[in-house]
Amino acid sequence: MAETNSNELLMEKIVSLCKRRGFIFQSSEIYGGINGFWDYGPLGAELKRNIKECWWRSMTQERDDMAGLDATIIMHPDIWRASGHVETFTDPLVDCKTCKGRFRADQLAETPCPKDSRKTVAECDGEKTEARRFNLMFKTFVGPVESEENVAYLRPETAQAMFAQFKTVLEVSRRKVPFGICQIGKAFRNEINPRNFTFRSREFEQMEVEFFIRPDEVVRQLAGSVACVADRPDLGGARHTWGWEVWHKYWVEERLRWYAAIGLPRESLVEYWQKPEELAHYAKATVDILYTFPFGTQELEGVAARGDFDLAQHQKFSGKSMEYFDDEAKAKYVPHVIEPSAGVDRLALALICQAYTEDEAPNDKGQMEKRVVMRFHPRIAPIKVAVLPLLRNRPELVAKALEVRDLLRSHMAVFYDDAGAIGRRYRRQDEAGTPFGVTVDFETLGEQGPALKDTVTLRDRDTMHQERVRIGELAPRLAAAIR
Ligand code: GAP
């Protein structure tokens, strides 16, 4: 119970910091907000952009077997018939006749009653209807006539565009299987109970890969003596002989490695292998990568082995071949797929929770006081460096500080701040998660002798250690730390 309270308190502090410092706040707040929709403020927008850029770089620039795509949100509605979303992308829903609320039937025991927050919906006395299926896709109409035949859907995942465009991307990018298509973009789900801050939203962003591989028979044929493709060879082995299990494990490892590189170490994540009875009907295996948020250990990403389900469905519904001719294997086949699918907003929230720390730091009078510091990895920190003139009423200090700012800002996101005592300015940057602070003082101007002229104080956010660094060394040094 004590732990529940402290976790609730921690979450409240995080939500309040997000609002106060402009990471995340309610959409349409002046109209009372809209449930399940969130806006990212100046710091949040930078954080999200950095996450997406790191992911995109790791998938495209740093690999030679991936091609990017930026497809539309609204697509032909048959895409969603082929994928099974029109039929099966549903959650069970119950209505409460007493409070008029609508709830997920499978989450009644975890959902607080709107009339009496001490009870869950399962415990309260409200009269509930039988459960019925509710499709989570948002509907709209294409064109001016609001008729059945003009219905279209806002995509509930980015994945389907990569299947539908498989042949086109293959052709234009001149790749060979195994290769992947990756995409970042908005997805929409009319969640019955959006909750836990941004964790379950109605509008969110995904970063997805569809990685196309050879079916097992083709791998066996190429590998010759490899008896069972389920055996896990050394991950450094020849890729053309990897069966789906090896590719699946490879992608789980890749994703865990990437999370560690942006500040979620392996020990902060849980690798959950779905049990056979939990798997979607098309999945051969799914690994969920989970993070322990203050409200519980929950999914950040799913890495699913989807077989040829999606391409085969689109082939059937569109009448267009999704087959690939493999010159090496001299075989024609519909490729199988490994899908690492991550949510940008959940990851941003996990990184915010992981970064949030309270410790003590000296104030301007040298007394220790509580500080809140966001220990973001420099790679994803919204602002990389703050440039601070020691005093704002000394024009020569201000001029020099602006010169340093201009020098750095072509390399990274810089924030210039001259308002208030220096300790307070450091505190503001600690809360924003800025990893470095550069202070321009009288020594920089050469007033304490020529040896220190054109040097600045470089402060480390986490250790609060300060050192003198030459202005000319700042850009390469900071660039190396944020790369
Ligand atoms: N194409 C596969 C797919 O969409 P999913 O598990 O439904 O799989 C993938 O979604 C990821 O998208 C999740 O792991 C999560 O990070 C994110 N996601 C899904 N629904 C979300 C929601 N309502 N709010 C925020 N993120 C969500």
Side-chain angles (χ1 to χ4, degrees), residues 409-428:
R409 77 175 167 189
S410 60
H411 303 272
M412 63 197 76
V414 184
F415 190 81
Y416 174 83
D417 187 5
D418 62 11
I422 194 79
R424 279 185 171 279
R425 283 184 268 164
Y426 283 148
R427 236 21 37 86
R428 282 201 290 267

Side-chain angles (χ1 to χ4, degrees), residues 8 61 123 195 248 279 283 294 324 342 375 459:
E8 271 171 22
Q61 209 172 313
E123 292 161 343
R195 61 193 173 141
H248 187 225
L279 291 173
Y324 167 79
R375 294 180 192 266
R459 174 186 182 264

Side-chain angles (χ1 to χ4, degrees), residues 160-463:
Q160 293 306 321
M162 294 182 270
F163 297 124
Q165 295 286 19
F166 162 68
K167 282 305 263 295
T168 315
V169 176
L170 176 71
E171 208 177 292
V172 297
S173 64
R174 303 176 64 224
R175 309 270 161 179
K176 286 182 190 299
V177 171
F179 88 102
I181 306 182
C182 63
Q183 178 166 221
I184 300 178
K186 290 266 187 182
F188 303 82
R189 297 184 188 177
N190 199 0
E191 298 283 357
I192 298 167
N193 290 134
R195 61 193 173 141
N196 289 331
F197 197 22
T198 55
F199 180 83
R200 191 173 302 287
S201 305
R202 288 178 164 141
E203 175 175 338
F204 54 95
E205 270 183 290
Q206 289 185 315
M207 307 183 285
E208 294 195 292
V209 171
E210 305 304 332
F211 198 80
F212 302 97
I213 57 172
R214 291 164 164 154
D216 286 354
E217 329 57 278
V218 177
V219 174
R220 264 193 215 100
Q221 182 188 322
L222 280 166
S225 60
V226 173
C228 175
V229 287
D231 290 344
R232 205 191 135 189
D234 180 15
L235 291 185
R239 292 182 176 209
H240 76 292
T241 62
W242 288 7
W244 72 264
E245 290 92 342
V246 183
W247 274 116
H248 187 225
K249 185 69 196 153
Y250 164 85
W251 274 109
V252 173
E253 287 297 318
E254 269 301 288
R255 300 301 301 135
L256 290 170
R257 201 181 52 76
W258 183 76
Y259 283 117
I262 59 160
L264 291 181
R266 204 166 264 249
E267 59 277 12
S268 70
L269 300 171
V270 176
E271 196 182 312
Y272 177 76
W273 286 74
Q274 287 189 10
K275 300 190 185 80
E277 64 273 19
E278 293 170 321
L279 291 173
H281 60 280
Y282 50 77
K284 295 175 169 187
T286 299
V287 171
D288 291 334
I289 298 175
L290 316 176
Y291 175 77
T292 302
F293 293 92
F295 47 82
T297 303
Q298 307 261 6
E299 179 187 325
L300 277 188
E301 166 159 358
V303 184
R306 300 175 71 109
D308 63 359
F309 173 81
D310 304 272
L311 288 183
Q313 284 292 103
H314 287 300
Q315 179 165 275
K316 186 168 141 198
F317 277 71
S318 68
K320 304 279 178 342
S321 167
M322 290 290 167
E323 282 182 325
Y324 167 79
F325 181 74
D326 191 317
D327 348 324
E328 197 183 7
K330 306 275 176 281
K332 214 176 191 192
Y333 54 79
V334 173
H336 286 218
V337 168
I338 305 294
E339 179 195 65
S341 168
V344 183
D345 309 78
R346 280 194 192 172
L347 176 53
L349 183 57
L351 289 165
I352 286 171
C353 294
Q354 181 77 6
Y356 184 91
T357 322
E358 291 174 4
D359 64 8
E360 288 204 322
N363 64 16
D364 286 305
K365 297 188 186 104
Q367 297 149 339
M368 294 306 273
E369 63 178 21
K370 194 182 106 182
R371 84 167 173 155
V372 169
V373 51
M374 297 298 283
R375 294 180 192 266
F376 290 123
H377 190 292
R379 278 196 186 107
I380 53 122
I383 301 165
K384 308 302 183 190
V385 58
V387 176
L388 320 165
L390 187 63
L391 299 169
R392 77 194 302 188
N393 55 5
R394 292 288 297 262
E396 61 281 34
L397 279 179
V398 169
K400 194 72 184 170
L402 290 173
E403 207 180 285
V404 173
R405 177 199 66 181
D406 293 346
L407 179 81
L408 294 176
R409 77 175 167 189
S410 60
H411 303 272
M412 63 197 76
V414 184
F415 190 81
Y416 174 83
D417 187 5
D418 62 11
I422 194 79
R424 279 185 171 279
R425 283 184 268 164
Y426 283 148
R427 236 21 37 86
R428 282 201 290 267
Q429 292 307 315
D430 290 340
E431 276 195 344
T434 308
F436 304 104
V438 164
T439 308
V440 172
D441 53 21
F442 296 109
E443 290 166 339
T444 316
L445 304 178
E447 290 189 9
Q448 316 291 322
L452 294 176
K453 188 169 186 311
D454 285 330
T455 67
V456 288
T457 302
L458 178 64
R459 174 186 182 264
D460 180 283
R461 172 199 67 199
D462 298 340
T463 60

